[in-house]
Amino acid sequence: MDDLLSLDVVLCFLGTLVGVILASVWWKKRDVVAPRDPYTGVAVLQSSFTGGEIPCVSPSTGEVVGKVHAATPNEVEQCVARARKAQGEWMKTSFADRRAVLREVMDYVVENQEEICRYSVVDSGKTLMEAEYGEILTTCEKLRWTIKYGEACLRRQSRSPPLLLFLKKAWVEWIPLGVIGIIIPWNYPFHNVASAVTAAIFSGNAAVVKVSEYSAYSASFFGSIFRRALAMRGHNPDLVQLITGYGDTGAALCKSKGVNKIFFIGSPEVGKKVMETAATNLTPVTLELGGKDPLIIFEDADFDQGCECAMRGCFINNGQNCVAAERIYVHEAIYDKFVRVMGEQVRALKQGSPLCGERVDCGAMTMPQQLDKVEGLVNEAIAQGAQLVAGGTRRTDTKGLFLQPMMLTNVTHDMRIVKQETFGPVMLVIKFKDVEDVIAKANDSEYGLSCSVFSNNLKKAEDVARRIASGMCVVNDFGVGYLIQALPFGGVKASGFGRFNGPEGLQSFC
């Protein structure tokens, strides 16, 4: 971690964390005119669209907590047109104006973090602590970094002409593209919206965001946070549009001639469809398509740290993270100890509804289909010889989507569970012999999003990291690269192309 985090980032991280903790003491409730659900306590918001009905089901309880409607293709075009009109004025704003809007958003997020977290919990089933970390802290850091460093990333940059043109001047200007079409998944309902919208509008663009049908309940509220900030600072709130719908709604956004770029987070299968549809108008795309990330623990690593990060990498948000540690490679000298220690810790995890008032380690999964997929992959692997060390049972005593966190050993690379992105609460533990063996295994995947390498020999760890085909790598930690917003985020191979976050992310919208 020391070789990744500068002192400035550490101090800002701690400052954000302290602010989030203090805000929980003096939290002020948002005045919402919509009625509140008696079970969840959050406001019930209605969609203004007229397409098919989308039932909003809490994955923790199986209860229908509301309904919204999908945007029709015509309504998608109307949203794009409103956004484009607003962007014509917004692109003329100064960076100071844009910072003021983001500060307004930041203040609102910190003051209303409890309500934001509850919406996230209702939509996704994650625990309140996971929402606090994944929705609030990461979003505050995104806003803080953009406010502090965004202008420098987009300021005009001088370039050197050749000697024969020594009297000439050359420079690059980052001109906003126009309207960014954003299609995001359900695993972090607020942060996925906030991160993409923050980058889009700070770089001078409008944002039209199509959310997943599995996070449609919170969409109107989360969109209103940015629209409110724009209005309070005297700008047209139509700059940010949130649309709900199914696949055809997303396809309509990709087909729109009024969209200048598509930013998509999802699966490789859907990403190919997005790219194919966007190609009709030669609309450029950035695709982040998930991963099958390896986490490698050498025999000379800090064992306790490796175990802690493996638990976090596999089970935070029930493994529903694009950079989840989906393959744990452990050196043969410490393999048996690791399996014993991790087995005890996995069995000790407490799972339940995050809205029930009890303290739980893991909440619910979000999608019924995803639970079925994970359960099917696990059962198939066990039938092929994998050993279930802990967990693995689907709960039948509740309507919620609960699959016990589990640990599998004796898995091999010819099993589908090792090849496909699982996106669930599964720890796969695989033994390796030496550096060459683990590099070959780590690279034996169609994905290449991120990886983690643990060793007290930093030169060895960094050498191994460079030889793994992935867009990002963390040494002796897990997941911290995303919180360092100065770093670009993205993958290679089937994990997609293009980058978001950092200077590269802002500049990609120009």
Side-chain angles (χ1 to χ4, degrees):
M1 185 172 180
D2 293 340
D3 52 323
L4 284 173
L5 292 176
S6 68
L7 178 61
D8 175 63
V9 174
V10 171
L11 292 176
C12 292
F13 173 89
L14 292 175
T16 303
L17 180 59
V18 170
V20 169
I21 294 171
L22 290 177
S24 66
V25 177
W26 52 269
W27 167 71
K28 302 174 183 177
K29 282 199 172 184
R30 173 176 176 264
D31 182 19
V32 181
V33 295
R36 291 179 177 272
D37 181 88
Y39 179 76
T40 64
V42 298
V44 179
L45 303 179
Q46 297 296 325
S47 167
S48 61
F49 301 121
T50 62
E53 186 174 290
I54 303 174
C56 302
V57 181
S58 170
S60 297
T61 64
E63 301 293 330
V64 176
V65 295
K67 64 179 180 179
V68 299
H69 287 269
T72 66
N74 184 55
E75 288 168 337
V76 171
E77 288 296 342
Q78 291 172 6
C79 288
V80 171
R82 287 194 293 269
R84 178 163 293 282
K85 182 178 179 180
Q87 193 269 340
E89 293 299 319
W90 176 253
M91 69 179 295
K92 302 173 187 176
T93 58
S94 67
F95 287 115
D97 292 331
R98 299 173 194 176
R99 281 193 291 270
V101 170
L102 295 190
R103 288 193 184 100
E104 197 74 49
V105 172
M106 172 88 90
D107 290 344
Y108 187 92
V109 170
V110 173
E111 292 177 8
N112 296 274
Q113 60 181 285
E114 183 174 332
E115 187 168 21
I116 292 170
C117 287
R118 290 185 71 83
Y119 269 102
S120 172
V121 168
V122 170
D123 254 345
S124 66
K126 60 169 55 69
T127 67
L128 284 167
M129 177 56 73
E130 288 168 338
E132 195 77 39
Y133 178 83
E135 308 282 20
I136 304 299
L137 186 61
T138 51
T139 297
C140 286
E141 179 56 19
K142 176 76 174 190
L143 291 164
R144 184 207 65 83
W145 183 88
T146 307
I147 290 167
K148 186 172 183 179
Y149 299 107
E151 180 177 357
C153 300
L154 298 173
R155 191 181 295 141
R156 190 171 82 170
Q157 299 176 1
S158 296
R159 300 293 169 91
S160 301
L163 182 61
L164 289 175
L165 300 176
F166 69 95
L167 292 177
K168 302 295 183 181
K169 292 183 179 180
W171 64 86
V172 173
E173 290 194 24
W174 302 102
I175 306 299
L177 290 173
V179 176
I180 309 299
I182 299 164
I183 304 175
I184 52 175
W186 38 261
N187 54 341
Y188 289 96
F190 176 58
H191 179 71
N192 287 341
V193 170
S195 177
V197 170
T198 295
I201 67 175
F202 191 83
S203 54
N205 298 283
V208 180
V209 186
K210 190 272 176 187
V211 302
S212 168
E213 60 270 28
Y214 292 99
S215 56
Y217 184 70
S218 59
S220 179
F221 172 42
F222 292 159
S224 73
I225 295 173
F226 282 87
R227 292 170 61 85
R228 168 190 172 277
L230 287 162
M232 289 188 69
R233 289 292 172 172
H235 305 291
N236 188 344
D238 284 346
L239 188 73
V240 175
Q241 302 282 324
L242 268 286
I243 56 178
T244 50
Y246 296 100
D248 55 344
T249 303
L253 184 61
C254 293
K255 290 177 184 176
S256 175
K257 293 182 178 180
V259 171
N260 300 99
K261 184 168 186 176
I262 294 291
F263 171 47
F264 172 80
I265 302 176
S267 68
E269 294 74 23
V270 179
K272 291 175 183 178
K273 294 179 181 178
V274 166
M275 186 163 60
E276 181 180 4
T277 304
T280 303
N281 299 316
L282 293 179
T283 304
V285 298
T286 291
L287 302 177
E288 194 272 86
L289 305 177
K292 192 72 179 176
D293 292 1
L295 187 150
I296 299 167
I297 306 176
F298 282 97
E299 74 279 13
D300 61 350
D302 182 322
F303 183 81
D304 291 339
Q305 184 187 29
C307 290
E308 177 186 343
C309 289
M311 287 291 290
R312 181 154 46 94
C314 291
F315 300 119
I316 190 170
N317 205 34
N318 261 329
Q320 296 170 128
N321 297 296
C322 53
V323 292
E326 297 226 349
R327 294 176 290 157
I328 309 295
Y329 293 102
V330 182
H331 190 273
E332 60 185 8
I334 58 172
Y335 176 84
D336 291 340
K337 178 182 177 182
F338 182 88
V339 171
R340 183 180 71 257
V341 171
M342 286 292 91
E344 293 172 357
Q345 292 190 21
V346 173
R347 281 187 287 269
L349 289 173
K350 184 176 181 181
Q351 184 183 51
S353 171
L355 297 172
C356 67
E358 295 183 65
R359 186 183 295 267
V360 296
D361 301 303
C362 300
M365 295 186 68
T366 306
M367 284 178 59
Q369 301 95 313
Q370 190 63 26
L371 191 153
D372 293 339
K373 174 188 174 181
V374 175
E375 188 176 44
L377 287 172
V378 169
N379 290 338
E380 179 181 272
I382 292 172
Q384 293 173 343
Q387 181 179 355
L388 181 64
V389 176
T393 303
R394 181 199 289 245
R395 286 182 56 181
T396 57
D397 59 333
T398 173
K399 293 181 180 178
L401 301 177
F402 294 103
L403 184 63
Q404 287 181 332
M406 68 192 78
M407 176 180 176
L408 288 174
T409 60
N410 200 33
V411 292
T412 57
H413 273 243
D414 58 347
M415 295 178 180
R416 286 199 306 150
I417 199 168
V418 179
K419 294 181 177 295
Q420 296 186 12
E421 183 179 35
T422 310
F423 224 63
V426 182
M427 176 182 284
L428 302 179
V429 185
I430 303 169
K431 186 187 300 185
F432 73 89
K433 294 185 295 185
D434 52 33
V435 167
E436 297 303 321
D437 181 35
V438 77
I439 289 174
K441 287 176 176 174
N443 285 330
D444 183 22
S445 173
E446 65 176 354
Y447 291 97
L449 186 56
S450 185
C451 65
S452 298
V453 181
F454 290 80
S455 171
N456 282 330
N457 183 335
L458 292 182
K459 183 181 184 304
K460 178 175 74 173
E462 291 174 7
D463 288 344
V464 169
R466 292 187 185 98
R467 294 178 62 189
I468 296 175
S470 66
M472 305 165 289
C473 184
V474 176
V475 172
N476 290 332
D477 212 322
F478 165 80
V480 296
Y482 189 83
L483 197 62
I484 305 174
Q485 286 290 314
L487 292 174
F489 188 95
V492 297
K493 301 197 289 187
S495 291
F497 52 80
R499 296 294 183 266
F500 60 99
N501 293 350
E504 296 83 356
L506 288 175
Q507 294 164 3
S508 73
F509 287 156
C510 296

